[in-house]
Amino acid sequence: MAAGALPLDAQSATARATRAPADSLTTREIAAHIRFLSSDLLAGRAPATPGGALATEYIATELVAAGVQPGLDSSYFQTVPIDVVTTNQSSVHVTVGGKASGTLNATDDVVVFPGAATERSGADADVVFVGYGAAAPEYRWDDFKGVDVKGKILLVLVNDPPATRSEPDLFGGRAMTYYGRWTYKFEEAERRGAAGMLIIHTTEAAGYPWHTVVGSWTTPQRMLPRDPSLPAPLGFRGWITDSAATALLRQAGLDLAALRTQAATRDFRPVPTGITLHVEFANRVEHLASRNVVGVVRGTDPRLRNEYVVFSAHWDHLGVGQPVNGDSIYNGAYDNASGVATLLAIARRAADAPPRGRSMYFVFVTAEESGLLGSDWFATHLPVPARNVVADLNMDEVTPWGRVRDLRVLGADKSSLGDIFTRAIQPMGMRITPDEHPERGYFYRSDHFSFAKAGIPSVSINAGTDVVGKPAGWGLQKEEDFTAHDYHQPSDEMQPDWDLRGAVQIGEIVLDVGRRIAAASSVPTWNDDAEFKAARERQRAEQ
């Protein structure tokens, strides 16, 4: 049954709310928001679609009802220009040693998509294996070694070069750095004038299975209008399965396992493969727009009310895509109707009791699933100077599995926000637990990262996995099952056994921390080793 078909009385007893004071968050209000936002009526909430527009109208209407004021002069809406590029998946033709050598089949072997909003995409070029595709002087690492890869198709490994026994902190140790993200790899390829790129996927290194790649990249692609100061875009971007890459290289007498071993050393040099790939596909390009929804609750302190604490969550999901078991609507109930629902509940409570100090922005951003586009646009087109925004508290995938004893705060080790959260939850007998999978690079995968790049201390908050009333490991298994089977799939729907008391718990903690920041005499700061500290210092210097 689709999420929209679930009646409220079908929710389990643990997901029902009892009568609560007016200033409390309730499971009933969060469940109601999730139910609507993840219904089939919204067709997966893709940006620049009728379903997406309906989602933004719903959010704005709920802000009005809650007494939250428009965040942008007299409007709740910030227009975000988005180019939507629709293409049919293309097979990739292979030539080895000048002779045609078969094809890589679309979606089974490769997923390719446009690198820019152009009517035609593709490349016909030689393939060069470039290891992890990283040029990181701070780690004394350069996978390119001065080799000119202009006009080449780059074959690259996902994630970072691995740490070693002698250098356990190399590229963050177990934790992924930005060099390991696919966004960086594509950006670096463009800077070097490459014609295209294929990233070799493994579930372990990427942090998600191949069907997530298919579900994420076979829908219409959304991108901000391209900055003309950027290098020329890639002719195509894409992913290739590990097995297909192994077979492809074997045709040229190369062993992927051996290349992977070589790529794990500083001595690695790019490897010409003798393989040529031909990729070509036509696109339909639409220059459209989506919207961020922004509300504000003004603080009561005349000295501080022109400074802001931002609360953020992305409202979008993947829309309509590849059918799975007969269902083509990617409803996005957990990702991220849950975050939007919880943030709406927080906004309602904040409006009932305005903060004693700084003001609060409630920002519901578009196009997170397309590469953090909406938060990127908001963070670079703020309604106030960036130095006046003291923090961003982001919520992406707020737990539907009950109350917890621990909290996950992505970025807690990068700024004083980690200490603020620790002080807030310790009296509750709670703790902050490290990310169970730092190698997946979650810090770089949600909207707080856009604020961090703008110099604003930022974290993303969700429940940990120590679930009250459940055996050890139960919460982690629920998350692993979701990632393996439901993440970016049509099966991410509201379920009748969800226990939203955990969402209430997390929402109340986030609001409490936001109030503490709003009332404090000092503001959050980046730690000395944080890569975003310099941007913040520049903002302060401009005052």
Side-chain angles (χ1 to χ4, degrees):
M1 177 183 288
L6 278 174
L8 282 176
D9 60 5
Q11 302 301 306
S12 68
T14 55
R16 295 189 185 119
T18 56
R19 194 168 186 84
D23 64 345
S24 297
L25 277 66
T26 69
T27 59
R28 185 180 296 279
E29 66 179 323
I30 293 174
H33 292 318
I34 295 174
R35 179 180 182 273
F36 180 79
L37 289 166
S38 63
S39 70
D40 282 357
L41 177 66
L42 275 66
R45 303 190 310 278
T49 66
L54 186 55
T56 60
E57 288 291 346
Y58 176 83
I59 293 166
T61 299
E62 290 298 314
L63 293 178
V64 172
V68 178
Q69 298 301 307
L72 302 162
D73 296 324
S74 60
S75 176
Y76 290 96
F77 300 120
Q78 181 185 49
T79 299
V80 181
I82 290 181
D83 294 336
V84 181
V85 187
T86 305
T87 188
N88 292 322
Q89 278 298 302
S90 173
S91 296
V92 177
H93 299 280
V94 180
T95 300
V96 180
K99 297 181 179 180
S101 186
T103 61
L104 296 168
N105 294 320
T107 70
D108 291 333
D109 300 323
V110 292
V111 170
V112 293
F113 44 94
T118 55
E119 293 185 354
R120 302 200 68 82
S121 297
D124 189 352
D126 296 337
V127 175
V128 178
F129 176 73
V130 292
Y132 289 91
E138 66 271 36
Y139 294 110
R140 295 183 293 111
W141 195 280
D142 181 9
D143 281 327
F144 297 93
K145 302 293 193 301
V147 173
D148 185 3
V149 295
K150 186 175 182 180
K152 307 295 185 183
I153 295 172
L154 306 186
L155 186 64
V156 64
L157 299 170
V158 72
N159 214 313
D160 291 311
T164 64
R165 182 175 299 178
S166 61
E167 291 186 281
D169 296 325
L170 183 65
F171 284 94
R174 188 179 164 217
M176 182 190 289
T177 71
Y178 190 56
Y179 294 109
R181 285 289 290 148
W182 53 262
T183 46
Y184 166 80
K185 296 176 190 292
F186 291 141
E187 290 164 0
E188 187 63 27
E190 288 182 348
R191 284 190 285 268
R192 294 177 182 271
M197 173 175 274
L198 286 175
I199 301 175
I200 301 171
H201 173 273
T202 69
T203 298
E204 180 181 10
Y208 39 79
W210 179 251
H211 67 67
T212 298
V213 175
V214 175
S216 301
W217 297 105
T218 56
T219 57
Q221 297 302 298
R222 291 167 170 80
M223 43 194 94
L224 295 176
R226 192 169 181 87
D227 185 339
S229 68
L230 292 175
L234 299 176
F236 75 93
R237 300 179 174 195
W239 292 77
I240 182 170
T241 67
D242 190 71
S243 58
T246 299
L248 175 66
L249 290 166
R250 188 182 298 127
Q251 293 183 62
L254 296 170
D255 180 8
L256 178 56
L259 290 174
R260 189 175 269 120
T261 299
Q262 295 171 30
T265 69
R266 282 194 176 88
D267 294 333
F268 170 81
R269 295 184 63 83
V271 178
T273 65
I275 299 167
T276 299
L277 299 182
H278 177 74
V279 186
E280 184 178 8
F281 44 96
N283 308 312
R284 178 166 60 88
V285 179
E286 299 173 276
H287 302 291
L288 303 176
S290 186
R291 300 186 293 192
N292 293 330
V293 187
V294 185
V296 67
V297 175
R298 301 290 178 188
T300 59
D301 187 328
R303 288 188 311 107
L304 298 177
R305 67 196 318 258
N306 291 325
E307 295 181 356
Y308 298 83
V309 181
V310 172
F311 300 78
S312 60
H314 77 89
W315 60 257
D316 66 293
H317 201 57
L318 299 176
V320 178
Q322 290 277 332
V324 179
N325 298 323
D327 188 357
S328 61
I329 297 178
Y330 289 64
N331 301 89
Y334 183 33
D335 182 16
N336 184 37
S338 64
V340 172
T342 307
L343 187 52
L344 281 171
I346 291 173
R348 187 265 304 166
R349 187 171 169 185
D352 287 344
R356 299 173 182 172
R358 297 175 177 86
S359 300
M360 294 178 172
Y361 273 130
F362 296 91
V363 184
F364 303 81
V365 296
T366 184
E368 186 268 356
E369 304 291 6
S370 304
L372 315 183
L373 305 186
S375 58
D376 187 339
W377 187 264
F378 183 78
T380 54
H381 296 78
L382 289 166
V384 297
R387 62 179 178 269
N388 287 15
V389 179
V390 302
D392 170 55
L393 308 180
N394 184 65
M395 290 187 293
D396 194 349
E397 300 180 359
V398 178
T399 181
W401 296 308
R403 292 178 61 84
V404 293
R405 300 182 185 89
D406 61 333
L407 197 67
R408 181 182 298 133
V409 181
L410 298 177
D413 58 342
K414 294 180 181 292
S415 76
S416 60
L417 288 171
D419 291 336
I420 297 171
F421 271 93
T422 297
R423 291 195 297 271
I425 66 176
Q426 275 181 340
M428 307 174 193
M430 294 180 66
R431 65 195 185 280
I432 292 178
T433 52
D435 182 4
E436 288 95 344
H437 292 288
E439 73 280 1
R440 295 179 182 174
Y442 288 128
F443 181 83
Y444 306 99
R445 290 167 56 177
S446 197
D447 291 299
H448 65 289
F449 181 52
S450 294
F451 291 90
K453 287 195 298 182
I456 298 164
S458 307
V459 290
S460 195
I461 309 103
N462 198 355
T465 57
D466 185 1
V467 181
V468 175
K470 300 296 182 181
W474 185 88
L476 182 58
Q477 187 60 53
K478 293 292 286 187
E479 288 201 349
E480 293 296 315
D481 287 347
F482 175 82
T483 299
H485 304 294
D486 304 315
Y487 176 61
H488 285 194
Q489 297 295 295
S491 54
D492 180 9
E493 298 179 332
M494 191 174 185
Q495 301 300 321
D497 63 345
W498 276 7
D499 181 352
L500 294 173
R501 290 178 298 175
V504 168
Q505 177 191 26
I506 301 306
E508 289 178 339
I509 291 170
V510 171
L511 177 57
D512 174 50
V513 169
R515 289 193 185 281
R516 290 171 185 243
I517 297 169
S521 58
S522 59
V523 298
T525 56
W526 290 110
N527 295 343
D528 287 341
D529 59 349
E531 59 265 54
F532 315 104
K533 184 179 180 181
R536 195 57 161 179
E537 290 177 340
R538 286 194 296 271
Q539 293 166 4
R540 296 299 186 193
E542 293 170 359
Q543 284 184 293

